[in-house]
Every structure is written in structure tokens, then in C-alpha cells.
Amino acid sequence: MVVSNETRVTEFILLGLSSNPNVQITLFAMLLVIYLLTVAGNLLILVTIYMDSQLHTPMYFFLSNLSFLDLGFSTVAVPKFLVNFISQRNTISFNDCIAQVFFLHLFGGTECFHLSLMAYDRYVAICYPLRYTIIMNRRVCFLFVTCTWALGFIHALAQAFPATQLPFCGPNEINHFFCDSHPLSVLACSSTFISEIADMTNSGILTLTCFLVVSISYVYIISTVLKIRSAEGRKKAFSTCASHLLVVTLFFGPLVFMYMRPPVTLPGDKLISGFYTIITPVLNPFIYTLRNEKVKKTMKKLGGRTHIN
């Protein structure tokens, strides 16, 4: 604590997911395994796509960026939780807490925009197959991805900067396992009504906009697929979208619950937050690799090369 006219908080205590020691040990083991699987799975996709030139297409370019986002999103929250458990110090400095808020929303916001971009990519591929390579050329793909990162950065800045302006004079216990804008603002010494409304509006507009883009894209996709006469053709078209649609559902569902509502704390918030920061990033590699024949074949080829070498 530093005294300068008023007592100010310089570090926070993260209460974590449970105060029960036995439950904490179980959670630590589970999160360690899940995080290692997240790192291994997403790195495997990145390496696989990089190594095979046949996968250097817009869809796999977007998939590799999604894997990087999932890796970063999970890394923002989980390692700090694991380190705190080992060190038996559940503290985080004020600056590190603000940084965690920023990077959480940077990766999360960028992933929202990126999933919308992937929906648009599938829309172009199915609705305009003959013009797909012209519309989604390398330059356009790179520009789109750059825009998603830029928009994610603006969103993260809008979430983190207001928190730096709030006065914190105690208590300093955050009822969460990572720093986020709402659990942090609850501890402020002054009224946070305006900042809470601004946070909810910012996150709500982002989530709603991305959700609408995805929904509209899939309305056109489904409409086009249903016009395909052959059952085999319809099945093939739907299979190219199934993985992405499943990922979108798993990611947007919890986000809509968390950020498109009045700024109140509910008992299940930590569990829901854990789903999109911990569970979704580890599921995405399995969803894409288990359903994608090209990726599986490339992995087998790389495995064969490694075995020979």
C-alpha cells in the first residue's frame, strides 16, 4: 500500500475458483492438463498449416490466426492462476491487472471479429464459388485480418483505459480467477455507473455486431445450400461450415450471457468465464482437426516425416 493524501491499492488478491483446498488441487491439475493440451493443439495446427503449401488458402490462413488467438486468450488467464497456486500468493499488481484486462479483451475482441470474418469467408466460398479466389485473394485476406486486430485493439483499449482512471482505496479482493473490467470496477471507491454502462455498451455492441454478421452470413449460406439439388453436394457444403458454426456457438454463447446484460455479478460468472477462456480454446483444435480431412492427412504426413528422420 502507498500513502499519498489517500491510501491507494497497489495490488489485488484474486480469490480464484474455490477456497476449498481439495477442490483447488483438483482444479490445478485439471487446468494444467487443459492448458498443456491447448498449447499443444493450437501449436500443432499452426505448424501443420505452415508446413503444407496445399493449406496456404484463405480458410486455413484464418484457421491459423484463430489458433494463435485461442493460444493467446488462454495464456492471459490460466498461467497466472497456476503460478498463484504454486506460490500460494494469489496477488496481482495493479499494472499487471490492467494489462490482463487489456490483453483479455484484445484476444477476445479480435476473436469475435475473426469468427465473423470466417463466417464471411464461408459465405463467399459457398455463395460465389467461381469468384472465391478473386474476392478472397491474399491481399484482401491479410487486410481483413489486420482490421480484426485493429478493432480488437480499440475494444481492449476502451475496456482497460477507464479502469486506470478509477480510484482504488480498498478492499482489494477480486472475486474472480483473473482481472476483468467489471470485477475490478466493483472495488472502486467512487461511483462506477458511467464506466459500467460504457463497458457494457462497448462489449454489447461488439458481441451483437459480430453475432449479426455471423447470423446473416449463415442465413445466405443455408439458403444457397438448400438450392443444391444433390444430397451429396448439400452434405459437402454443410460439412465445410459445421466446424466453424460449432466454434461460434461455443464462443458467443457465454459472451452473450456475460456482456449483453446489466452490470451485475452472478454466482455462475466465474464458471461461464472459465468456459470461454479455458474450455473453448482447447476444444477448437479438436473440432477442426477431427472434422477436417486435409488437416488430418497433413498431420499424418508430417508424422511420417518425423518418424523417418
Side-chain angles (χ1 to χ4, degrees), residues 194-205:
I194 294 178
S195 63
E196 288 277 12
I197 294 300
D199 287 348
M200 185 182 70
T201 303
N202 178 27
S203 296
I205 289 175

Side-chain angles (χ1 to χ4, degrees), residues 33-145:
V33 171
I34 290 173
Y35 182 67
L36 291 176
L37 287 173
T38 300
V39 173
N42 286 291
L43 284 179
L44 182 59
I45 288 181
L46 286 169
V47 171
T48 300
I49 294 174
Y50 176 79
M51 294 294 290
D52 191 343
S53 59
Q54 292 184 350
L55 299 181
H56 294 177
T57 62
M59 186 178 77
Y60 294 104
F61 173 61
F62 296 145
L63 177 56
S64 64
N65 193 56
L66 178 64
S67 291
F68 181 79
L69 287 168
D70 280 333
L71 188 58
F73 199 28
S74 183
T75 300
V76 171
V78 179
K80 178 62 178 175
F81 177 87
L82 296 175
V83 169
N84 282 349
F85 182 86
I86 295 173
S87 64
Q88 295 297 309
R89 293 187 73 251
N90 296 332
T91 58
I92 184 170
S93 69
F94 177 82
N95 290 336
D96 287 347
C97 188
I98 297 299
Q100 197 171 54
V101 173
F102 175 81
F103 284 106
L104 179 80
H105 286 276
L106 172 64
F107 287 111
T110 303
E111 184 158 340
C112 282
F113 289 116
H114 192 70
L115 288 172
S116 302
L117 173 57
M118 292 177 73
Y120 175 74
D121 172 68
R122 292 299 84 205
Y123 158 72
V124 176
I126 291 175
C127 298
Y128 302 98
L130 299 179
R131 298 174 55 195
Y132 176 71
T133 55
I134 298 174
I135 297 174
M136 301 299 291
N137 59 62
R138 182 175 296 184
R139 180 174 175 275
V140 170
C141 291
F142 181 79
L143 179 63
F144 277 153
V145 169

Side-chain angles (χ1 to χ4, degrees), residues 228-244:
I228 299 175
R229 293 183 178 181
S230 68
E232 185 64 27
R234 288 195 298 270
K235 182 180 178 182
K236 184 177 180 181
F238 274 126
S239 67
T240 63
C241 303
S243 297
H244 176 257

Side-chain angles (χ1 to χ4, degrees), residues 17-30 81 85:
L17 293 169
S18 174
S19 58
N20 187 311
N22 294 327
V23 174
Q24 286 181 344
I25 294 174
T26 303
L27 287 172
F28 173 81
M30 289 175 58
F81 177 87
F85 182 86

Side-chain angles (χ1 to χ4, degrees), residues 214-284:
V214 172
S215 299
I216 292 171
S217 296
Y218 273 99
V219 166
Y220 281 102
I221 288 172
I222 294 172
S223 176
T224 302
V225 171
L226 291 177
K227 294 177 183 178
I228 299 175
R229 293 183 178 181
S230 68
E232 185 64 27
R234 288 195 298 270
K235 182 180 178 182
K236 184 177 180 181
F238 274 126
S239 67
T240 63
C241 303
S243 297
H244 176 257
L245 196 56
L246 180 57
V247 169
V248 166
T249 303
L250 291 174
F251 188 74
F252 276 103
L255 285 182
V256 169
F257 175 81
M258 288 296 299
Y259 295 106
M260 291 187 66
R261 72 179 198 207
V264 295
T265 301
L266 299 177
D269 282 356
K270 287 190 282 187
L271 182 62
I272 299 297
S273 298
F275 192 86
Y276 64 78
T277 56
I278 300 170
I279 304 302
T280 301
V282 74
L283 288 180
N284 287 354

